[in-house]
Amino acid sequence: RLGETHFQPDFPLFRMGAFQAGLLNGVREKIAQLRCQRQANIRFWCEHLSWSLVKEASSQQLLPDVIRFPVYSGNKSKTNSIIALSSRQGLGIAETYPDAISGIRELADQFAGQEYLSARKAAQELVTLPVHGFISPRDRERIIDFLHDSGLS
């Protein structure tokens, strides 16, 4: 299901056939185009939000190449409220990971019972905004208005 984290280290690997290789023709150019679209949306979020993790990191004019734009909500109940309300409006705002990596059952033995409270808190208090190339200027404005109304701008 979308949004679920599954850790499966034993997934099968197969050789690529000629047909699949042919489908990759021009893929480097397409990836570069998609990256430019993401960068434009990242720049927009940085310019229109007063604070975010990415904005702090991009203060030296270097925009990170992220697939979702993280924004700190402040607390878990606010995160839950934002996700529920934005979902009803179809805004594309999503949660980050449901827990710290130490909370993944299949990896738990790697952490010898250690708790990573800051990582768990971050997972509970971050929401992410879309940066893909299909987000329209109107979508971005709707999200900005929603974030202003939610007190996250």
Side-chain angles (χ1 to χ4, degrees):
R1 248 184 62 188
L2 184 62
E4 290 181 356
T5 300
H6 296 278
F7 182 76
Q8 299 173 328
D10 298 325
F11 59 89
L13 296 176
F14 302 100
R15 287 190 68 83
M16 189 181 313
F19 177 75
Q20 289 91 358
L23 292 174
L24 292 175
N25 190 26
V27 74
R28 291 185 198 279
E29 295 81 12
K30 183 65 173 173
I31 289 171
Q33 178 186 11
L34 293 171
R35 184 173 188 268
C36 286
Q37 292 170 342
R38 284 196 316 272
Q39 291 287 299
N41 286 322
I42 292 166
R43 187 171 291 106
F44 176 87
W45 297 133
C46 285
E47 291 171 357
H48 290 84
L49 295 172
S50 61
W51 188 88
S52 79
L53 296 174
V54 172
K55 185 170 186 165
E56 295 298 313
S58 66
S59 60
Q60 289 85 23
Q61 302 294 352
L62 299 172
L63 290 176
D65 192 19
V66 296
I67 58 170
R68 301 282 304 173
F69 190 90
V71 177
Y72 179 67
S73 73
N75 63 61
K76 185 177 179 171
S77 63
K78 191 169 200 173
T79 296
N80 293 340
S81 174
I82 288 167
I83 298 302
L85 290 170
S86 69
S87 178
R88 285 196 287 268
Q89 296 180 34
L91 297 177
I93 298 173
E95 296 176 272
T96 58
Y97 296 104
D99 199 352
I101 192 169
S102 58
I104 298 173
R105 184 183 39 210
E106 294 86 354
L107 296 176
D109 63 333
Q110 302 294 314
F111 297 98
Q114 295 179 13
E115 290 291 321
Y116 295 89
L117 300 178
S118 294
R120 180 163 288 129
K121 186 176 189 316
Q124 294 171 349
E125 297 180 3
L126 287 175
V127 296
T128 62
L129 310 181
V131 297
H132 56 74
F134 298 108
I135 184 172
S136 71
R138 176 68 185 126
D139 294 332
R140 294 188 311 199
E141 291 301 328
R142 288 179 56 222
I143 292 170
I144 288 294
D145 291 344
F146 175 82
L147 294 175
H148 283 289
D149 293 345
S150 299
L152 289 186
S153 60

mmCIF file of all heavy atoms in Angstrom, residues 116-138:
data_model
loop_
_atom_site.group_PDB
_atom_site.id
_atom_site.type_symbol
_atom_site.label_atom_id
_atom_site.label_comp_id
_atom_site.label_asym_id
_atom_site.label_seq_id
_atom_site.Cartn_x
_atom_site.Cartn_y
_atom_site.Cartn_z
ATOM 1 N N TYR A 116 16.105 6.027 19.296
ATOM 2 C CA TYR A 116 16.521 7.242 18.604
ATOM 3 C C TYR A 116 15.348 8.209 18.662
ATOM 4 O O TYR A 116 14.580 8.347 17.717
ATOM 5 C CB TYR A 116 16.942 6.908 17.178
ATOM 6 C CG TYR A 116 18.162 6.024 17.150
ATOM 7 C CD1 TYR A 116 18.044 4.635 17.178
ATOM 8 C CD2 TYR A 116 19.434 6.575 17.146
ATOM 9 C CE1 TYR A 116 19.161 3.820 17.187
ATOM 10 C CE2 TYR A 116 20.564 5.770 17.148
ATOM 11 C CZ TYR A 116 20.417 4.400 17.171
ATOM 12 O OH TYR A 116 21.525 3.601 17.180
ATOM 13 N N LEU A 117 15.216 8.850 19.808
ATOM 14 C CA LEU A 117 14.046 9.680 20.077
ATOM 15 C C LEU A 117 13.948 10.872 19.134
ATOM 16 O O LEU A 117 12.856 11.238 18.709
ATOM 17 C CB LEU A 117 14.047 10.130 21.536
ATOM 18 C CG LEU A 117 14.010 8.979 22.558
ATOM 19 C CD1 LEU A 117 14.051 9.519 23.971
ATOM 20 C CD2 LEU A 117 12.793 8.108 22.340
ATOM 21 N N SER A 118 15.072 11.484 18.805
ATOM 22 C CA SER A 118 15.032 12.641 17.894
ATOM 23 C C SER A 118 14.583 12.220 16.502
ATOM 24 O O SER A 118 13.819 12.933 15.856
ATOM 25 C CB SER A 118 16.400 13.327 17.831
ATOM 26 O OG SER A 118 16.712 13.897 19.078
ATOM 27 N N ALA A 119 15.050 11.073 16.052
ATOM 28 C CA ALA A 119 14.636 10.573 14.735
ATOM 29 C C ALA A 119 13.150 10.221 14.750
ATOM 30 O O ALA A 119 12.419 10.508 13.793
ATOM 31 C CB ALA A 119 15.463 9.351 14.344
ATOM 32 N N ARG A 120 12.685 9.612 15.824
ATOM 33 C CA ARG A 120 11.267 9.268 15.939
ATOM 34 C C ARG A 120 10.417 10.537 15.964
ATOM 35 O O ARG A 120 9.383 10.642 15.308
ATOM 36 C CB ARG A 120 11.032 8.447 17.196
ATOM 37 C CG ARG A 120 9.570 8.051 17.385
ATOM 38 C CD ARG A 120 9.402 6.926 18.357
ATOM 39 N NE ARG A 120 9.877 5.699 17.708
ATOM 40 C CZ ARG A 120 10.751 4.859 18.253
ATOM 41 N NH1 ARG A 120 11.240 5.069 19.444
ATOM 42 N NH2 ARG A 120 11.129 3.780 17.600
ATOM 43 N N LYS A 121 10.879 11.553 16.715
ATOM 44 C CA LYS A 121 10.161 12.828 16.805
ATOM 45 C C LYS A 121 10.101 13.498 15.429
ATOM 46 O O LYS A 121 9.061 14.014 15.023
ATOM 47 C CB LYS A 121 10.858 13.738 17.820
ATOM 48 C CG LYS A 121 10.158 15.033 18.116
ATOM 49 C CD LYS A 121 10.946 15.771 19.211
ATOM 50 C CE LYS A 121 10.333 16.962 19.798
ATOM 51 N NZ LYS A 121 9.706 17.949 19.055
ATOM 52 N N ALA A 122 11.217 13.469 14.702
ATOM 53 C CA ALA A 122 11.236 14.056 13.360
ATOM 54 C C ALA A 122 10.247 13.353 12.444
ATOM 55 O O ALA A 122 9.524 14.013 11.682
ATOM 56 C CB ALA A 122 12.644 13.989 12.772
ATOM 57 N N ALA A 123 10.193 12.030 12.515
ATOM 58 C CA ALA A 123 9.255 11.281 11.675
ATOM 59 C C ALA A 123 7.812 11.662 11.986
ATOM 60 O O ALA A 123 6.958 11.680 11.101
ATOM 61 C CB ALA A 123 9.457 9.778 11.862
ATOM 62 N N GLN A 124 7.543 12.000 13.237
ATOM 63 C CA GLN A 124 6.187 12.341 13.641
ATOM 64 C C GLN A 124 5.831 13.799 13.358
ATOM 65 O O GLN A 124 4.655 14.135 13.282
ATOM 66 C CB GLN A 124 6.007 12.071 15.138
ATOM 67 C CG GLN A 124 6.104 10.618 15.497
ATOM 68 C CD GLN A 124 6.131 10.398 17.003
ATOM 69 O OE1 GLN A 124 6.271 11.322 17.789
ATOM 70 N NE2 GLN A 124 5.994 9.148 17.405
ATOM 71 N N GLU A 125 6.835 14.657 13.198
ATOM 72 C CA GLU A 125 6.565 16.090 13.102
ATOM 73 C C GLU A 125 6.921 16.708 11.754
ATOM 74 O O GLU A 125 6.909 17.929 11.610
ATOM 75 C CB GLU A 125 7.297 16.817 14.236
ATOM 76 C CG GLU A 125 6.793 16.378 15.594
ATOM 77 C CD GLU A 125 7.481 17.072 16.757
ATOM 78 O OE1 GLU A 125 8.324 17.952 16.520
ATOM 79 O OE2 GLU A 125 7.150 16.734 17.906
ATOM 80 N N LEU A 126 7.233 15.887 10.791
ATOM 81 C CA LEU A 126 7.507 16.404 9.451
ATOM 82 C C LEU A 126 6.361 16.047 8.515
ATOM 83 O O LEU A 126 5.822 14.945 8.569
ATOM 84 C CB LEU A 126 8.796 15.806 8.884
ATOM 85 C CG LEU A 126 10.097 16.296 9.479
ATOM 86 C CD1 LEU A 126 11.262 15.513 8.899
ATOM 87 C CD2 LEU A 126 10.293 17.777 9.229
ATOM 88 N N VAL A 127 6.011 16.993 7.685
ATOM 89 C CA VAL A 127 5.131 16.730 6.548
ATOM 90 C C VAL A 127 5.933 17.079 5.308
ATOM 91 O O VAL A 127 6.918 17.812 5.382
ATOM 92 C CB VAL A 127 3.813 17.544 6.611
ATOM 93 C CG1 VAL A 127 2.989 17.145 7.817
ATOM 94 C CG2 VAL A 127 4.076 19.032 6.609
ATOM 95 N N THR A 128 5.535 16.546 4.173
ATOM 96 C CA THR A 128 6.273 16.828 2.950
ATOM 97 C C THR A 128 5.337 17.346 1.863
ATOM 98 O O THR A 128 4.177 16.954 1.781
ATOM 99 C CB THR A 128 7.020 15.575 2.438
ATOM 100 O OG1 THR A 128 6.074 14.550 2.134
ATOM 101 C CG2 THR A 128 8.023 15.073 3.470
ATOM 102 N N LEU A 129 5.880 18.245 1.070
ATOM 103 C CA LEU A 129 5.139 18.850 -0.034
ATOM 104 C C LEU A 129 5.621 18.258 -1.350
ATOM 105 O O LEU A 129 6.792 17.902 -1.486
ATOM 106 C CB LEU A 129 5.370 20.361 -0.051
ATOM 107 C CG LEU A 129 5.164 21.109 1.263
ATOM 108 C CD1 LEU A 129 5.411 22.605 1.054
ATOM 109 C CD2 LEU A 129 3.794 20.851 1.830
ATOM 110 N N PRO A 130 4.746 18.177 -2.334
ATOM 111 C CA PRO A 130 5.164 17.630 -3.632
ATOM 112 C C PRO A 130 6.099 18.579 -4.371
ATOM 113 O O PRO A 130 5.978 19.804 -4.252
ATOM 114 C CB PRO A 130 3.839 17.478 -4.390
ATOM 115 C CG PRO A 130 2.915 18.462 -3.747
ATOM 116 C CD PRO A 130 3.338 18.567 -2.315
ATOM 117 N N VAL A 131 7.037 18.013 -5.107
ATOM 118 C CA VAL A 131 7.938 18.822 -5.940
ATOM 119 C C VAL A 131 7.968 18.322 -7.383
ATOM 120 O O VAL A 131 8.686 18.873 -8.214
ATOM 121 C CB VAL A 131 9.379 18.864 -5.368
ATOM 122 C CG1 VAL A 131 9.408 19.513 -4.008
ATOM 123 C CG2 VAL A 131 10.014 17.490 -5.329
ATOM 124 N N HIS A 132 7.177 17.303 -7.697
ATOM 125 C CA HIS A 132 7.188 16.723 -9.043
ATOM 126 C C HIS A 132 6.711 17.735 -10.085
ATOM 127 O O HIS A 132 6.135 18.771 -9.758
ATOM 128 C CB HIS A 132 6.333 15.450 -9.094
ATOM 129 C CG HIS A 132 4.918 15.668 -8.636
ATOM 130 N ND1 HIS A 132 3.981 16.313 -9.393
ATOM 131 C CD2 HIS A 132 4.310 15.328 -7.475
ATOM 132 C CE1 HIS A 132 2.837 16.371 -8.734
ATOM 133 N NE2 HIS A 132 3.012 15.777 -7.564
ATOM 134 N N GLY A 133 6.962 17.419 -11.326
ATOM 135 C CA GLY A 133 6.649 18.327 -12.418
ATOM 136 C C GLY A 133 5.183 18.458 -12.774
ATOM 137 O O GLY A 133 4.823 19.285 -13.605
ATOM 138 N N PHE A 134 4.315 17.680 -12.155
ATOM 139 C CA PHE A 134 2.891 17.753 -12.473
ATOM 140 C C PHE A 134 2.130 18.719 -11.567
ATOM 141 O O PHE A 134 0.941 18.921 -11.752
ATOM 142 C CB PHE A 134 2.252 16.361 -12.397
ATOM 143 C CG PHE A 134 2.841 15.404 -13.390
ATOM 144 C CD1 PHE A 134 3.662 14.375 -12.961
ATOM 145 C CD2 PHE A 134 2.613 15.551 -14.744
ATOM 146 C CE1 PHE A 134 4.227 13.499 -13.866
ATOM 147 C CE2 PHE A 134 3.167 14.684 -15.668
ATOM 148 C CZ PHE A 134 3.984 13.651 -15.228
ATOM 149 N N ILE A 135 2.813 19.304 -10.593
ATOM 150 C CA ILE A 135 2.161 20.269 -9.720
ATOM 151 C C ILE A 135 2.055 21.597 -10.472
ATOM 152 O O ILE A 135 3.026 22.082 -11.047
ATOM 153 C CB ILE A 135 2.895 20.410 -8.374
ATOM 154 C CG1 ILE A 135 2.154 21.343 -7.443
ATOM 155 C CG2 ILE A 135 4.327 20.832 -8.543
ATOM 156 C CD1 ILE A 135 2.713 21.370 -6.039
ATOM 157 N N SER A 136 0.863 22.150 -10.511
ATOM 158 C CA SER A 136 0.626 23.382 -11.268
ATOM 159 C C SER A 136 0.827 24.605 -10.374
ATOM 160 O O SER A 136 0.822 24.489 -9.145
ATOM 161 C CB SER A 136 -0.802 23.389 -11.819
ATOM 162 O OG SER A 136 -1.721 23.563 -10.750
ATOM 163 N N PRO A 137 0.978 25.780 -10.974
ATOM 164 C CA PRO A 137 1.051 27.007 -10.164
ATOM 165 C C PRO A 137 -0.173 27.158 -9.257
ATOM 166 O O PRO A 137 -0.047 27.590 -8.115
ATOM 167 C CB PRO A 137 1.123 28.120 -11.208
ATOM 168 C CG PRO A 137 1.773 27.479 -12.389
ATOM 169 C CD PRO A 137 1.231 26.066 -12.397
ATOM 170 N N ARG A 138 -1.348 26.787 -9.735
ATOM 171 C CA ARG A 138 -2.553 26.860 -8.903
ATOM 172 C C ARG A 138 -2.474 25.892 -7.723
ATOM 173 O O ARG A 138 -2.863 26.234 -6.605
ATOM 174 C CB ARG A 138 -3.800 26.551 -9.762
ATOM 175 C CG ARG A 138 -5.087 26.501 -8.990
ATOM 176 C CD ARG A 138 -5.482 27.874 -8.452
ATOM 177 N NE ARG A 138 -6.657 27.742 -7.610
ATOM 178 C CZ ARG A 138 -6.740 28.186 -6.353
ATOM 179 N NH1 ARG A 138 -5.740 28.834 -5.821
ATOM 180 N NH2 ARG A 138 -7.830 28.005 -5.662
#
